[in-house]
């Protein structure tokens, strides 16, 4: 079976890394796996907590490797992880993601082919505490891009031929969008197994993160104009939007108000974590 390397950048993720690695260990996949945690610019015990899981990985016949970088930054961590990885399938994973137990085996089955492919799981937003985040998430998850597509948010994977489509990750905001758009729609595959993705709490944080996401998409369009035409069906039609709004008016209100605030707000370049 083709080996799989999981590349996991982590910046100050001590509160999340244990649960993330626990869900990796709970996968039903039986093939060879190496997980590379790249603790970058950390001021907490992210690296130590990750290393503490290494014996349990070894019991499964899997390898857990922890690399520490003094400089923070996800792109640098991704490129360092790629430089450490061997041949085979690459799965890129955020430290706050919780994978469903059959997701890894499903991804490996899809990607264990010669032709270039990209794969991801079915995104499920983790339960939020604030009402606005719950309403926003409920509506957002029903949009065609999320409900029917392969978003890549927090988790995406490529096979060896697919990874050959690009070299190092460029220093851009949206690494997942950049990777996804290396592939045509017919080369992107959804594995119908869930993974849990956290959403930020509260209106102002939703606006900040949504603005950052929009800036990431605009940056790719500016720097790599050949990529956006591969987006495929990402925007709902007016009829779809009306139908979704009529079934969930509160969710639509939350989603549209955040979108309006993004358009009316200042063009902030500040970094915004996705939770």
């Amino acid at each position: 079976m083709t080996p799989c390397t999981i590349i996991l950048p982590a910046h100050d993720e001590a509160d999340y890394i244990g649960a993330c690695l626990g869900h990796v260990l709970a996968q039903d996949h039986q093939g060879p796996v190496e997980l590379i945690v790249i603790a970058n610019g950390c001021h907490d015990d992210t690296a130590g907590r990750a290393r503490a899981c290494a014996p349990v990985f070894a019991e499964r016949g899997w390898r857990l490797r922890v690399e520490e970088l003094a400089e923070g930054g996800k792109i640098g961590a991704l490129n360092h992880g790629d430089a450490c990885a061997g041949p085979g399938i690459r799965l890129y994973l955020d430290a706050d993601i919780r994978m469903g137990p059959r997701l890894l085996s499903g991804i490996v089955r899809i990607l264990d082919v010669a032709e270039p492919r990209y794969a991801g799981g079915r995104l499920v937003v983790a339960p939020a505490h604030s009402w606005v985040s719950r309403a926003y998430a409920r509506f957002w998850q029903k949009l065609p891009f999320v409900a029917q597509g392969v978003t890549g948010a927090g988790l995406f994977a490529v096979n060896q031929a697919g990874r050959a489509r690009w070299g190092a990750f460029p220093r851009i905001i949206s690494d997942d969008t950049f990777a996804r758009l290396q592939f045509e729609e017919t080369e992107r595959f959804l594995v119908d197994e869930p993974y849990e993705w956290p959403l930020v709490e509260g209106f102002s944080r939703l606006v900040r993160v949504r603005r950052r996401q929009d800036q990431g998409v605009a940056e790719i369009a500016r720097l790599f104009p050949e990529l956006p035409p591969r987006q495929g069906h990402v925007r709902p039609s007016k009829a779809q939007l009306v139908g979704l709004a009529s079934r969930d008016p509160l969710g639509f209100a939350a989603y549209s108000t955040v979108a309006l605030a993004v358009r009316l707000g200042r063009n902030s370049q500040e970094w915004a974590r996705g939770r």
Side-chain angles (χ1 to χ4, degrees), residues 7-11 36-40 67-69 76-78 80-81:
I7 295 175
L8 197 162
H11 171 73
I36 304 172
V37 175
I38 308 96
N40 59 96
E67 297 281 316
E68 293 189 69
L69 303 180
L78 287 171
H80 186 86

Side-chain angles (χ1 to χ4, degrees), residues 188-244:
R188 303 195 295 255
F189 293 82
L190 177 66
V191 177
D192 193 19
E193 296 291 341
Y195 70 96
E196 195 173 81
W197 180 83
L199 186 67
V200 293
E201 297 284 354
F203 180 78
S204 62
R205 290 182 177 180
L206 282 169
V207 171
R208 188 165 64 248
V209 169
R210 173 67 183 271
R211 179 180 294 125
R212 183 71 169 172
Q213 292 169 344
D214 288 356
Q215 289 169 352
V217 172
E219 180 183 49
I220 286 176
R222 184 177 72 255
L223 298 177
F224 307 99
E226 74 279 6
L227 296 183
R230 299 176 186 161
Q231 284 276 14
H233 182 53
V234 295
R235 292 184 179 276
S237 66
K238 289 184 179 180
Q240 287 176 314
L241 201 57
V242 168
L244 290 171

Side-chain angles (χ1 to χ4, degrees), residues 68-86:
E68 293 189 69
L69 303 180
E71 183 180 355
K74 186 178 182 182
I75 297 300
L78 287 171
N79 287 329
H80 186 86
D82 271 329
C84 294

Side-chain angles (χ1 to χ4, degrees), residues 101-184:
R102 294 180 295 275
L103 179 54
L104 181 57
S105 59
I107 285 174
V108 171
R109 280 195 299 272
I110 287 290
L111 296 182
D112 197 8
V113 295
E115 60 267 28
R117 283 186 177 183
Y118 171 102
R122 175 166 44 84
L123 184 152
V124 177
V125 178
H129 298 292
S130 70
W131 73 266
V132 67
S133 293
R134 289 196 303 271
Y136 183 97
R138 190 174 60 244
F139 187 85
W140 180 74
Q141 286 181 98
K142 294 175 183 174
L143 295 173
F145 172 65
V146 183
Q148 302 161 19
V150 189
T151 72
L155 182 155
F156 63 89
V158 296
N159 60 7
Q160 190 165 332
R163 186 59 186 86
R165 290 272 174 92
W166 75 98
F169 281 94
R171 293 198 173 274
I172 56 175
I173 296 168
S174 188
D175 56 277
D176 53 346
T177 302
F178 174 80
R180 178 170 51 84
L181 295 183
Q182 304 298 318
F183 301 85
E184 302 289 347

Side-chain angles (χ1 to χ4, degrees), residues 83-103:
C84 294
I89 292 166
R90 304 253 176 112
L91 189 150
Y92 299 89
L93 180 67
D94 285 358
D96 51 9
I97 296 299
R98 302 186 178 192
M99 300 171 64
R102 294 180 295 275
L103 179 54

